[in-house]
Amino acid sequence: MSDSAPLTTDHPGQVAAATPPAPGRSRRLSDRGLAVAFTSPALLLLLAMSVFPLLWALYLSFTDYSATRGGPAQFIGLGNYTAILASEQVHLRALTTLIYVLGAVTLQTVLGFAIAYLISRRTHGRGLLTTLFLVPMMLSPVVVGLFWRFMLDAQFGVINSMLGSLGLGQVEWLTGQRTALISLILVDTWQWTPFIMLIALAGLTAVPKYLYEAASIDRASEWFRFRTITLPLVWPLLLIAVLFRAIEAFRLFDLVYILTSGGPGVSTETLSFHVYKVAFLGFNTGTASAYGILMVLVVIVLTQLYLRYLNKLKED
Amino acid sequence: MAVSVDEAVSTGPARDRTPPARRFGGRGRSVLEVALLTVLAVVMLFPVLWMIETSIKENRDVYAIPAKFFDFKVTMDHFKDVFAASGGGRSALSVSFLNSFVVAGASTALATVLGVPAAWAYSRFAVKAKKDQLFFILSTRFMPPVVVVIPIFLMYRQVGLIDTKLGLILIYAAFNVPFTIWMMKGFVDEVPAEYEDAAMLDGYTRLQAFWRFTLPLLLPGIAATAVFALIFSWNEFVFAIFLTSSDTVRTAPPAIAGLIGGTTVDWGLVAAASVVFALPVLVFAYLVRRHLIAGVTLGAVRR
């Protein structure tokens, strides 16, 4: 943290707050004071609401504390961590999460890029199209989860109704072991494809025209142009979008909670949802904390990768 | 410069001027593209339209098999139920909407008041370990909410912030501050520091220069940033459901989710509540469409 009393060291007799230095004189010092005064309230809030709770969770993760049982927490060292890392259950949840993240992010990247590409080729109605496509992204996960739950209802849901009128069979969207995870991926894709689309569209629009002009003089094929001009220029931005989505999908909780509550059985139970169950249904606060710390570590690694890539990108 | 949707809309890439497709008699191809776009747009928008339709349907049409697309009776009863309780007076849902307004508004105001000056300081001054501080600030935003909520829950229970609006306001502000700082830093970077230097040569202090010259230039940016913070707080669900329980404190997302708790679900009411709840967000989103990219990526991606 930055020190908050730089003024007193240089001017021993002066009280910082009472007599602010005149403009021009000791500007450096007043700047420094101002920087501290302006950044520390925000940092203090973050320390109180993010760092402190996290440190608390770190402490609890080494104990067998339970929020309902109360009583003093017993220090058990790395017990929680070894239990989690060795747990079959957790491995299964990790696999579910991996399938979900890979499935959803791949699907929305392909779709989002395709939509962006199609929109970028239009001259008319682009503004309207872009705005319309962005609607799902702005909605609350609760609203999205609820109305998909309604639409995917096996009995009176509109999706099955449409399948029925097309002469196709009914699908147990949210109640089948396999289909529930697919439904989750589909709904997440519906909500977040616009995100990829938005960023891909920005990339596509930023490709300089002269590159295409040069290519068309050389009579390059469309596919060649796409592969050698469009893709390389859009790729970095697209990758940022993908990383963002991967981090978000990894943390996903609300959609699972609303759409399937982890069911049927445990087929849609992601890591986040499992942490919730351990913490708020099993009340194994210590275990849940260790679990959470491990997840935070994963996110920090992902964030670091993301930022490193971002910095490299900015240098180019 | 931030890439905006408007820009993405107005200036087309070269392909539009020299369309290779047309050179090969690609009219059919263009038609195919339009058809594809239309199908995709319908798929993306259908759930929203279906929700709106459900919200104005009578109950027996809501549960009709096969689903009724056009031929149904229009009713506003569900919307009435969202706001008025069956026995008269205000419904629990409308109270939760009010709570959402209070919580989202207050947390946004707090995040803006704390975040904007900090963003200015990070942009203008050589702060010690600036990169580390900024990374730390960003990283708090990437934590899984369900993980953070456990210690926050214990902490709030200790200090008596459980089931209070203040508790929600504080945690939402803490989640919005990193975003505000990152996005505002981009806006501040675009205002030349020379303005402040010139003002200071005229005898203003640094603080006065910031207040009287830079801040007014930042107002559009502040407005855009605040709207994003507002949308986040408005839509937030995880903290809301774990940190509040009583009807008088609960915000709208957990209240709407609570509608599906029973054995039978009144989907008409759920639809109407969702529509009412989504309207402000769509208006807000429209207002900040120019800043969407910076907004949805925490301001980290600006070009």
Side-chain angles (χ1 to χ4, degrees), chain A residues 3 27 31 35 38 43 46 49 51-53 60 121-122 126-127 134 138 140 142 146-147 149-150 161 190 202 205-206 209 212 222 225 251 276 299 303 306-307, chain B residues 8-9 12 15-16 20 30 33 44 51 66-67 120 125 128 135-136 141-143 151 154-156 174 200 206 235 237 242 256 260 267 281 292-293 300 303:
Chain A
D3 49 314
R27 177 177 296 167
D31 279 2
F38 273 21
L43 287 174
L46 289 178
M49 304 299 289
V51 178
F52 177 68
L60 287 176
R121 293 172 65 89
R122 303 254 64 79
R126 276 216 241 163
L134 287 176
M138 308 315 297
S140 166
V142 173
L146 281 176
F147 65 61
R149 203 173 139 159
F150 174 54
S161 188
W190 179 79
T205 326
K209 288 175 193 180
Y212 290 115
E222 177 129 7
R225 268 183 274 194
R251 319 185 302 171
Y276 148 74
V299 174
T303 321
Y306 157 72
L307 277 182
Chain B
V9 166
R15 269 181 268 102
D16 289 338
S30 181
E33 281 178 14
M44 290 306 272
M51 203 66 178
W120 177 73
F125 302 133
K128 230 186 264 171
F135 174 69
F136 156 70
R141 185 60 200 259
F142 277 116
M143 281 186 234
L154 297 174
M155 185 170 108
Y156 274 19
M200 283 157 74
R206 175 71 89 164
N235 282 345
F237 173 70
F242 291 121
I256 295 175
I260 59 165
W267 283 110
V281 180
L292 266 174
I293 294 200
R303 291 158 59 98

Coordinates of all heavy atoms in Angstrom, one line a residue, chain A residues 3 27 31 35 38 43 46 49 51-53 60 121-122 126-127 134 138 140 142 146-147 149-150 161 190 202 205-206 209 212 222 225 251 276 299 303 306-307, chain B residues 8-9 12 15-16 20 30 33 44 51 66-67 120 125 128 135-136 141-143 151 154-156 174 200 206 235 237 242 256 260 267 281 292-293 300 303:
Chain A
D3 N 2.1 5.0 1.1 CA 2.2 5.6 2.4 C 1.3 6.9 2.3 O 1.2 7.6 1.3 CB 3.6 6.0 2.8 CG 4.3 6.7 1.6 OD1 4.2 6.2 0.5 OD2 5.0 7.7 1.9
R27 N 4.6 21.0 -6.2 CA 3.5 20.4 -6.9 C 3.6 18.9 -6.8 O 2.6 18.2 -6.6 CB 3.5 20.8 -8.3 CG 2.4 20.2 -9.2 CD 2.4 20.6 -10.6 NE 2.1 22.1 -10.6 CZ 2.3 22.8 -11.7 NH1 2.9 22.2 -12.8 NH2 2.0 24.0 -11.8
D31 N 0.5 16.5 -5.7 CA 0.1 15.4 -6.6 C 0.1 14.1 -5.9 O -0.9 13.3 -6.1 CB 1.0 15.3 -7.8 CG 0.7 16.4 -8.8 OD1 -0.2 17.2 -8.5 OD2 1.4 16.5 -9.9
A35 N -3.1 11.7 -5.3 CA -3.2 10.4 -5.9 C -3.6 9.4 -4.8 O -4.5 8.6 -4.9 CB -1.9 10.0 -6.5
F38 N -7.2 10.0 -3.7 CA -8.2 9.5 -4.7 C -8.2 8.0 -4.9 O -9.3 7.5 -5.3 CB -7.9 10.2 -6.1 CG -8.5 11.6 -6.2 CD1 -8.9 12.3 -5.1 CD2 -8.7 12.1 -7.4 CE1 -9.5 13.5 -5.2 CE2 -9.3 13.4 -7.6 CZ -9.7 14.1 -6.4
L43 N -9.5 1.5 -3.0 CA -8.7 0.3 -2.6 C -9.2 -0.2 -1.3 O -9.3 -1.4 -1.1 CB -7.3 0.7 -2.5 CG -6.6 0.9 -3.9 CD1 -5.2 1.4 -3.7 CD2 -6.6 -0.4 -4.7
L46 N -12.2 -2.3 -1.7 CA -11.9 -3.6 -2.3 C -11.2 -4.5 -1.3 O -11.4 -5.7 -1.2 CB -11.0 -3.4 -3.5 CG -11.7 -2.9 -4.8 CD1 -10.7 -2.7 -5.9 CD2 -12.8 -3.8 -5.2
M49 N -14.0 -5.7 1.0 CA -15.1 -6.6 0.5 C -14.6 -7.7 -0.4 O -15.3 -8.6 -0.7 CB -16.0 -5.8 -0.4 CG -16.7 -4.6 0.3 SD -17.7 -5.1 1.7 CE -19.1 -5.9 0.9
V51 N -10.6 -8.7 -0.5 CA -9.4 -9.3 0.0 C -9.6 -9.9 1.4 O -9.3 -11.0 1.6 CB -8.2 -8.2 0.1 CG1 -7.0 -8.9 0.7 CG2 -8.0 -7.7 -1.3
F52 N -10.3 -9.1 2.3 CA -10.5 -9.6 3.6 C -11.3 -10.9 3.6 O -11.0 -11.9 4.2 CB -11.2 -8.5 4.5 CG -11.5 -9.0 5.8 CD1 -10.5 -9.4 6.8 CD2 -12.8 -9.2 6.2 CE1 -10.9 -9.8 8.0 CE2 -13.2 -9.6 7.5 CZ -12.2 -10.0 8.4
P53 N -12.5 -10.9 2.9 CA -13.2 -12.2 2.8 C -12.4 -13.3 2.3 O -12.5 -14.5 2.7 CB -14.4 -11.8 1.9 CG -14.5 -10.4 1.9 CD -13.2 -9.8 2.2
L60 N -10.2 -20.3 6.7 CA -11.2 -21.3 7.0 C -10.9 -22.6 6.2 O -11.3 -23.7 6.7 CB -12.6 -20.9 6.6 CG -13.3 -19.8 7.5 CD1 -14.6 -19.4 6.9 CD2 -13.5 -20.4 8.9
R121 N -21.0 -8.1 -44.0 CA -21.1 -8.1 -45.4 C -22.3 -7.3 -45.9 O -22.5 -7.1 -47.1 CB -21.2 -9.5 -45.9 CG -19.9 -10.2 -45.7 CD -20.0 -11.7 -46.1 NE -20.3 -11.9 -47.5 CZ -19.4 -12.0 -48.4 NH1 -18.1 -12.0 -48.1 NH2 -19.7 -12.2 -49.7
R122 N -23.2 -6.9 -45.0 CA -24.4 -6.1 -45.3 C -24.1 -4.6 -45.3 O -23.3 -4.2 -44.5 CB -25.5 -6.4 -44.4 CG -25.9 -7.9 -44.3 CD -27.2 -8.2 -45.0 NE -27.1 -7.9 -46.4 CZ -26.5 -8.8 -47.3 NH1 -26.0 -9.9 -46.9 NH2 -26.5 -8.5 -48.6
R126 N -27.6 -2.7 -40.8 CA -26.6 -3.3 -39.9 C -26.8 -2.8 -38.5 O -26.7 -3.6 -37.5 CB -25.2 -2.8 -40.3 CG -24.6 -3.7 -41.3 CD -23.2 -3.8 -41.1 NE -22.5 -3.3 -42.2 CZ -21.2 -3.0 -42.1 NH1 -20.6 -3.1 -40.9 NH2 -20.5 -2.5 -43.1
G127 N -27.1 -1.5 -38.3 CA -27.4 -1.0 -36.9 C -28.5 -1.8 -36.3 O -28.3 -2.3 -35.1
L134 N -28.1 -8.2 -30.0 CA -27.4 -8.0 -28.7 C -28.4 -8.2 -27.5 O -28.0 -8.3 -26.4 CB -26.8 -6.6 -28.6 CG -25.5 -6.5 -29.4 CD1 -25.1 -5.0 -29.4 CD2 -24.5 -7.4 -28.9
M138 N -28.0 -8.7 -22.7 CA -28.3 -7.7 -21.7 C -29.3 -8.2 -20.7 O -29.4 -7.6 -19.6 CB -28.9 -6.5 -22.4 CG -28.1 -5.9 -23.5 SD -26.3 -5.8 -23.2 CE -26.3 -4.6 -21.9
S140 N -31.0 -10.5 -17.6 CA -30.5 -11.1 -16.4 C -30.5 -12.6 -16.6 O -31.4 -13.2 -17.2 CB -31.4 -10.7 -15.3 OG -31.1 -11.5 -14.2
V142 N -31.3 -14.7 -14.6 CA -32.5 -15.2 -14.0 C -33.7 -15.2 -15.0 O -34.3 -16.2 -15.2 CB -33.0 -14.4 -12.7 CG1 -34.3 -14.8 -12.2 CG2 -31.9 -14.5 -11.7
L146 N -35.3 -18.6 -16.6 CA -36.7 -18.8 -16.4 C -37.4 -19.1 -17.7 O -38.1 -20.0 -17.9 CB -37.4 -17.7 -15.6 CG -37.1 -17.7 -14.1 CD1 -37.8 -16.5 -13.5 CD2 -37.8 -19.0 -13.5
F147 N -37.2 -18.2 -18.7 CA -38.0 -18.4 -19.9 C -37.5 -19.5 -20.7 O -38.3 -20.1 -21.4 CB -38.4 -17.1 -20.6 CG -37.4 -16.3 -21.3 CD1 -36.6 -16.8 -22.3 CD2 -37.3 -14.9 -21.0 CE1 -35.7 -15.9 -22.9 CE2 -36.5 -14.1 -21.6 CZ -35.7 -14.6 -22.6
R149 N -36.5 -22.3 -19.2 CA -37.1 -23.4 -18.5 C -38.6 -23.6 -18.9 O -39.0 -24.7 -19.1 CB -37.1 -23.1 -17.0 CG -37.1 -24.3 -16.2 CD -36.9 -23.9 -14.7 NE -37.8 -24.7 -13.9 CZ -37.6 -25.0 -12.7 NH1 -36.6 -24.5 -12.0 NH2 -38.5 -25.7 -12.0
F150 N -39.2 -22.5 -19.2 CA -40.6 -22.5 -19.7 C -40.7 -23.1 -21.1 O -41.5 -23.9 -21.3 CB -41.2 -21.1 -19.6 CG -42.5 -20.9 -20.2 CD1 -43.6 -21.7 -19.8 CD2 -42.7 -20.0 -21.2 CE1 -44.8 -21.5 -20.3 CE2 -44.0 -19.8 -21.7 CZ -45.1 -20.6 -21.3
S161 N -43.4 -28.5 -28.6 CA -44.6 -28.3 -29.4 C -44.3 -28.1 -30.8 O -45.0 -28.7 -31.7 CB -45.4 -27.0 -28.8 OG -46.6 -26.9 -29.4
W190 N -27.1 -19.3 -26.4 CA -28.1 -18.3 -26.8 C -27.8 -16.9 -26.2 O -27.8 -15.9 -26.8 CB -29.5 -18.8 -26.4 CG -30.5 -17.7 -26.8 CD1 -31.1 -17.6 -28.0 CD2 -31.1 -16.8 -25.9 NE1 -32.0 -16.5 -28.0 CE2 -32.0 -16.0 -26.7 CE3 -31.0 -16.4 -24.6 CZ2 -32.8 -15.0 -26.2 CZ3 -31.8 -15.4 -24.1 CH2 -32.7 -14.7 -24.9
A202 N -16.4 -5.9 -34.2 CA -15.5 -4.8 -34.1 C -14.2 -5.1 -34.8 O -13.6 -4.2 -35.5 CB -15.2 -4.6 -32.6
T205 N -14.7 -4.9 -38.7 CA -14.9 -3.5 -39.2 C -13.5 -2.8 -39.2 O -13.3 -1.9 -40.0 CB -15.8 -2.8 -38.2 OG1 -16.8 -3.7 -37.8 CG2 -16.5 -1.6 -39.0
A206 N -12.6 -3.3 -38.3 CA -11.3 -2.5 -38.2 C -10.3 -3.0 -39.3 O -9.2 -2.4 -39.4 CB -10.8 -2.7 -36.8
K209 N -9.4 -1.4 -45.5 CA -9.9 -1.7 -46.8 C -8.8 -2.0 -47.8 O -9.0 -2.8 -48.7 CB -10.7 -0.5 -47.3 CG -12.0 -0.3 -46.6 CD -12.6 1.0 -47.1 CE -13.8 1.4 -46.2 NZ -14.4 2.6 -46.7
Y212 N -7.9 -5.5 -48.8 CA -8.8 -6.3 -49.6 C -8.7 -5.8 -51.1 O -8.7 -6.5 -52.0 CB -10.3 -6.1 -49.2 CG -10.6 -6.8 -47.9 CD1 -10.9 -6.1 -46.8 CD2 -10.5 -8.2 -47.8 CE1 -11.2 -6.7 -45.6 CE2 -10.8 -8.8 -46.7 CZ -11.2 -8.1 -45.5 OH -11.4 -8.7 -44.4
E222 N -11.8 -15.7 -52.7 CA -12.4 -15.2 -51.4 C -11.9 -15.9 -50.2 O -11.6 -15.4 -49.2 CB -13.9 -15.4 -51.6 CG -14.7 -15.0 -50.3 CD -15.8 -14.1 -50.6 OE1 -16.1 -13.8 -51.8 OE2 -16.4 -13.6 -49.7
R225 N -8.5 -14.7 -49.3 CA -8.6 -13.4 -48.6 C -9.0 -13.6 -47.1 O -8.5 -13.0 -46.2 CB -9.6 -12.5 -49.3 CG -8.9 -11.7 -50.3 CD -9.9 -10.8 -50.9 NE -10.6 -11.4 -52.0 CZ -11.4 -10.8 -52.9 NH1 -11.5 -9.5 -52.7 NH2 -11.9 -11.4 -53.9
R251 N -17.2 -19.9 -14.1 CA -17.7 -19.4 -12.8 C -19.2 -19.6 -12.7 O -19.9 -19.3 -11.8 CB -17.5 -17.9 -12.6 CG -16.1 -17.5 -12.9 CD -15.9 -16.1 -12.6 NE -16.9 -15.2 -13.2 CZ -17.0 -13.9 -12.9 NH1 -16.3 -13.4 -11.9 NH2 -17.9 -13.2 -13.5
Y276 N -21.5 -24.5 -4.0 CA -22.7 -23.9 -3.3 C -23.3 -25.0 -2.5 O -23.7 -24.8 -1.3 CB -23.7 -23.4 -4.3 CG -25.1 -23.5 -4.0 CD1 -25.7 -22.7 -3.0 CD2 -25.9 -24.5 -4.6 CE1 -27.0 -22.8 -2.7 CE2 -27.3 -24.6 -4.3 CZ -27.8 -23.8 -3.3 OH -29.1 -23.9 -3.0
V299 N -8.9 -19.3 -11.7 CA -9.3 -18.1 -12.4 C -8.1 -17.1 -12.5 O -7.9 -16.5 -13.5 CB -10.5 -17.4 -11.6 CG1 -10.8 -16.1 -12.2 CG2 -11.7 -18.3 -11.7
T303 N -6.7 -15.5 -15.7 CA -6.7 -14.0 -15.9 C -5.3 -13.5 -16.3 O -5.1 -12.7 -17.1 CB -7.1 -13.3 -14.5 OG1 -8.1 -14.0 -14.0 CG2 -7.5 -11.9 -14.8
Y306 N -4.7 -14.2 -19.8 CA -5.4 -13.3 -20.5 C -4.7 -11.9 -20.6 O -4.6 -11.3 -21.7 CB -6.8 -13.1 -19.9 CG -7.5 -11.9 -20.3 CD1 -8.0 -11.6 -21.6 CD2 -7.7 -10.9 -19.3 CE1 -8.6 -10.5 -21.8 CE2 -8.3 -9.7 -19.6 CZ -8.8 -9.5 -20.9 OH -9.4 -8.3 -21.2
L307 N -4.3 -11.4 -19.4 CA -3.7 -10.1 -19.4 C -2.3 -10.1 -20.1 O -2.0 -9.1 -20.8 CB -3.5 -9.7 -17.9 CG -4.7 -9.0 -17.3 CD1 -4.4 -8.6 -15.9 CD2 -5.2 -7.9 -18.1
Chain B
A8 N -19.4 0.3 -36.2 CA -19.5 -1.0 -36.8 C -20.7 -0.9 -37.8 O -20.7 -1.7 -38.7 CB -19.7 -2.0 -35.8
V9 N -21.5 0.0 -37.6 CA -22.7 0.1 -38.4 C -22.5 1.0 -39.6 O -22.9 0.7 -40.7 CB -23.9 0.7 -37.5 CG1 -25.0 1.1 -38.4 CG2 -24.3 -0.4 -36.6
G12 N -18.5 0.5 -43.6 CA -18.4 -0.9 -43.9 C -17.0 -1.2 -44.4 O -16.2 -0.3 -44.8
R15 N -15.2 -5.0 -48.4 CA -15.9 -6.0 -49.1 C -17.2 -5.5 -49.7 O -17.7 -6.0 -50.7 CB -16.1 -7.2 -48.2 CG -15.0 -8.2 -48.3 CD -15.3 -9.3 -47.4 NE -14.7 -9.1 -46.1 CZ -15.3 -8.8 -45.0 NH1 -16.6 -8.5 -45.0 NH2 -14.7 -8.6 -43.9
D16 N -17.8 -4.5 -49.0 CA -19.1 -4.0 -49.4 C -18.9 -3.2 -50.8 O -19.9 -3.2 -51.6 CB -19.7 -3.0 -48.4 CG -20.1 -3.8 -47.2 OD1 -20.3 -5.0 -47.3 OD2 -20.2 -3.3 -46.1
P20 N -16.7 -9.4 -53.9 CA -16.2 -10.5 -54.8 C -17.3 -11.4 -55.2 O -17.3 -12.0 -56.3 CB -15.2 -11.2 -54.0 CG -15.5 -10.9 -52.5 CD -16.2 -9.6 -52.6
S30 N -25.8 -13.9 -52.1 CA -26.3 -12.8 -51.3 C -27.6 -13.1 -50.7 O -27.9 -12.8 -49.5 CB -26.3 -11.5 -52.1 OG -26.7 -10.4 -51.3
E33 N -27.2 -15.4 -47.9 CA -26.7 -14.8 -46.7 C -27.8 -14.1 -46.0 O -27.9 -14.2 -44.7 CB -25.6 -13.8 -47.1 CG -24.3 -14.5 -47.3 CD -23.2 -13.4 -47.7 OE1 -23.4 -12.2 -47.6 OE2 -22.2 -13.9 -48.2
M44 N -32.6 -16.1 -32.4 CA -32.1 -15.3 -31.3 C -33.2 -14.6 -30.6 O -33.2 -14.4 -29.4 CB -31.0 -14.3 -31.8 CG -29.7 -15.0 -32.2 SD -29.0 -16.1 -31.0 CE -28.0 -14.9 -30.0
M51 N -41.7 -14.8 -24.7 CA -41.9 -14.3 -23.3 C -42.9 -13.2 -23.3 O -43.9 -13.2 -22.5 CB -40.6 -13.8 -22.8 CG -40.5 -13.8 -21.3 SD -40.6 -15.5 -20.7 CE -40.4 -15.2 -18.9
P66 N -51.1 -28.1 -28.8 CA -49.9 -27.5 -29.1 C -49.9 -26.0 -28.8 O -51.0 -25.4 -28.7 CB -49.7 -27.7 -30.6 CG -51.1 -27.9 -31.1 CD -51.9 -28.5 -30.0
A67 N -48.7 -25.4 -28.7 CA -48.6 -24.0 -28.3 C -49.4 -23.1 -29.3 O -49.4 -23.4 -30.5 CB -47.1 -23.6 -28.3
W120 N -8.9 8.7 -12.5 CA -8.1 9.9 -12.8 C -6.7 9.8 -12.3 O -5.7 10.1 -13.0 CB -8.9 11.1 -12.3 CG -8.2 12.4 -12.6 CD1 -8.0 13.0 -13.8 CD2 -7.5 13.2 -11.7 NE1 -7.3 14.1 -13.7 CE2 -7.0 14.3 -12.4 CE3 -7.3 13.1 -10.3 CZ2 -6.3 15.3 -11.7 CZ3 -6.6 14.1 -9.6 CH2 -6.1 15.2 -10.4
F125 N -1.1 10.2 -12.6 CA 0.1 10.2 -11.8 C 0.9 8.9 -11.8 O 0.4 7.8 -12.2 CB -0.3 10.4 -10.3 CG -1.1 11.6 -10.1 CD1 -2.3 11.6 -9.3 CD2 -0.7 12.8 -10.6 CE1 -3.0 12.8 -9.1 CE2 -1.4 14.0 -10.5 CZ -2.6 14.0 -9.7
K128 N 2.7 4.4 -7.2 CA 3.6 3.3 -6.9 C 3.0 1.9 -7.3 O 1.9 1.7 -7.1 CB 3.9 3.2 -5.4 CG 5.4 3.2 -5.1 CD 5.7 3.0 -3.6 CE 5.9 4.3 -2.9 NZ 5.9 4.2 -1.5
F135 N -3.8 -4.5 -11.7 CA -4.1 -5.9 -11.9 C -4.9 -6.5 -10.7 O -5.9 -7.2 -10.8 CB -2.9 -6.8 -12.1 CG -3.1 -8.2 -12.1 CD1 -3.8 -8.8 -13.1 CD2 -2.8 -9.1 -11.0 CE1 -4.1 -10.2 -13.1 CE2 -3.1 -10.4 -11.0 CZ -3.7 -11.0 -12.1
F136 N -4.5 -6.0 -9.5 CA -5.2 -6.5 -8.3 C -6.7 -6.1 -8.4 O -7.6 -6.8 -8.1 CB -4.5 -5.9 -7.1 CG -5.5 -5.7 -5.9 CD1 -5.9 -6.9 -5.2 CD2 -5.9 -4.5 -5.5 CE1 -6.8 -6.8 -4.2 CE2 -6.8 -4.4 -4.4 CZ -7.2 -5.5 -3.7
R141 N -12.5 -8.7 -9.7 CA -13.7 -8.8 -10.5 C -13.9 -10.2 -11.1 O -15.0 -10.6 -11.5 CB -13.7 -7.7 -11.5 CG -14.9 -7.6 -12.4 CD -16.2 -7.3 -11.6 NE -17.4 -7.6 -12.3 CZ -18.1 -6.8 -12.9 NH1 -17.9 -5.5 -12.8 NH2 -19.1 -7.1 -13.6
F142 N -12.8 -11.0 -11.2 CA -12.8 -12.3 -11.8 C -13.1 -13.4 -10.9 O -13.2 -14.6 -11.3 CB -11.5 -12.5 -12.6 CG -11.5 -11.9 -13.9 CD1 -10.6 -10.9 -14.2 CD2 -12.4 -12.3 -14.9 CE1 -10.5 -10.3 -15.5 CE2 -12.3 -11.7 -16.2 CZ -11.4 -10.7 -16.4
M143 N -13.3 -13.1 -9.6 CA -13.5 -14.2 -8.7 C -14.9 -14.8 -8.9 O -15.8 -14.1 -9.1 CB -13.4 -13.7 -7.3 CG -11.9 -13.6 -6.8 SD -11.9 -13.2 -5.1 CE -10.9 -11.7 -5.2
P151 N -17.4 -16.4 2.4 CA -16.9 -15.5 3.5 C -17.7 -14.2 3.7 O -17.8 -13.7 4.8 CB -15.5 -15.2 3.0 CG -15.4 -15.6 1.6 CD -16.4 -16.6 1.4
L154 N -20.5 -15.0 6.0 CA -20.0 -15.1 7.4 C -19.7 -13.7 8.0 O -20.1 -13.4 9.1 CB -18.8 -16.0 7.5 CG -19.0 -17.4 7.1 CD1 -17.7 -18.2 7.1 CD2 -20.0 -18.1 8.0
M155 N -19.1 -12.9 7.1 CA -18.7 -11.6 7.6 C -20.0 -10.7 7.9 O -20.1 -10.1 8.9 CB -17.9 -10.9 6.5 CG -17.3 -9.6 6.8 SD -16.1 -9.1 5.5 CE -17.0 -7.8 4.7
Y156 N -20.9 -10.8 7.0 CA -22.1 -10.0 7.1 C -22.9 -10.5 8.3 O -23.5 -9.7 9.0 CB -23.0 -10.1 5.9 CG -22.7 -9.1 4.8 CD1 -21.5 -8.5 4.8 CD2 -23.6 -8.8 3.8 CE1 -21.2 -7.6 3.8 CE2 -23.3 -7.9 2.8 CZ -22.1 -7.3 2.8 OH -21.8 -6.4 1.8
A174 N -18.5 -2.8 -4.5 CA -17.2 -3.4 -4.5 C -17.0 -4.1 -5.9 O -15.9 -4.2 -6.4 CB -17.0 -4.3 -3.4
M200 N -3.3 24.9 -14.6 CA -2.4 25.1 -13.4 C -1.5 26.3 -13.6 O -1.1 27.0 -12.7 CB -1.7 23.8 -13.1 CG -2.5 22.8 -12.4 SD -2.0 21.1 -12.5 CE -0.6 21.2 -11.4
R206 N -4.1 21.6 -8.8 CA -4.4 20.4 -9.5 C -5.8 19.9 -9.3 O -6.5 19.5 -10.3 CB -3.4 19.3 -9.0 CG -3.6 17.9 -9.6 CD -3.2 17.9 -11.1 NE -1.8 17.5 -11.2 CZ -1.3 17.1 -12.4 NH1 -2.1 17.0 -13.5 NH2 0.0 16.8 -12.5
N235 N -29.1 -6.8 -12.7 CA -29.3 -8.2 -13.1 C -28.7 -9.2 -12.1 O -29.0 -10.4 -12.2 CB -28.6 -8.4 -14.4 CG -29.4 -7.9 -15.6 OD1 -30.6 -7.6 -15.4 ND2 -28.7 -7.7 -16.7
F237 N -27.7 -11.8 -9.3 CA -28.6 -12.8 -8.7 C -27.9 -13.5 -7.5 O -28.5 -13.7 -6.4 CB -29.0 -13.8 -9.7 CG -29.8 -14.9 -9.2 CD1 -31.1 -14.8 -8.7 CD2 -29.2 -16.2 -9.1 CE1 -31.8 -15.8 -8.2 CE2 -30.0 -17.3 -8.6 CZ -31.2 -17.1 -8.1
F242 N -28.3 -15.1 -1.7 CA -27.7 -15.6 -0.5 C -27.6 -14.6 0.7 O -27.5 -15.0 1.8 CB -26.3 -16.2 -0.8 CG -26.3 -17.4 -1.6 CD1 -25.7 -17.4 -2.8 CD2 -27.0 -18.5 -1.2 CE1 -25.8 -18.6 -3.6 CE2 -27.1 -19.6 -2.0 CZ -26.5 -19.7 -3.2
I256 N -38.2 -12.9 -8.5 CA -38.8 -13.5 -9.7 C -38.5 -15.0 -9.7 O -39.3 -15.8 -10.0 CB -38.3 -12.8 -11.0 CG1 -38.7 -11.4 -11.1 CG2 -38.7 -13.6 -12.3 CD1 -38.1 -10.6 -12.2
I260 N -41.1 -19.6 -9.1 CA -41.2 -21.0 -9.6 C -41.0 -22.0 -8.5 O -40.8 -23.2 -8.7 CB -40.1 -21.3 -10.7 CG1 -38.7 -21.0 -10.2 CG2 -40.4 -20.4 -11.9 CD1 -37.7 -21.6 -11.1
W267 N -46.8 -19.3 -15.1 CA -45.9 -18.9 -16.1 C -46.2 -17.5 -16.7 O -45.4 -16.7 -17.1 CB -45.7 -19.9 -17.2 CG -44.8 -21.0 -16.8 CD1 -45.2 -22.3 -16.5 CD2 -43.4 -21.0 -16.5 NE1 -44.1 -23.1 -16.1 CE2 -43.0 -22.3 -16.1 CE3 -42.4 -20.0 -16.5 CZ2 -41.7 -22.6 -15.7 CZ3 -41.1 -20.3 -16.1 CH2 -40.8 -21.6 -15.8
V281 N -33.4 -2.5 -18.5 CA -32.0 -2.9 -19.0 C -31.9 -2.6 -20.5 O -30.9 -2.2 -21.0 CB -31.8 -4.4 -18.7 CG1 -30.4 -4.8 -19.2 CG2 -31.9 -4.6 -17.2
L292 N -20.5 -0.3 -25.9 CA -20.7 -1.7 -25.5 C -19.5 -2.6 -25.3 O -19.3 -3.3 -24.4 CB -21.7 -2.4 -26.5 CG -23.1 -2.4 -26.1 CD1 -24.0 -2.9 -27.2 CD2 -23.4 -3.2 -24.8
I293 N -18.6 -2.4 -26.3 CA -17.4 -3.3 -26.2 C -16.5 -3.0 -25.0 O -16.1 -3.9 -24.3 CB -16.6 -3.1 -27.5 CG1 -17.4 -3.7 -28.7 CG2 -15.2 -3.8 -27.4 CD1 -16.7 -4.0 -29.9
A300 N -11.2 -3.2 -20.8 CA -9.9 -3.7 -21.1 C -9.6 -3.7 -22.6 O -8.4 -3.5 -23.0 CB -9.7 -5.1 -20.5
R303 N -9.9 0.2 -28.7 CA -9.1 0.3 -29.8 C -9.2 1.7 -30.4 O -10.2 2.4 -30.3 CB -9.5 -0.7 -30.9 CG -9.2 -2.1 -30.5 CD -10.0 -3.1 -31.3 NE -9.7 -2.8 -32.7 CZ -8.9 -3.6 -33.4 NH1 -8.3 -4.6 -32.8 NH2 -8.7 -3.4 -34.7

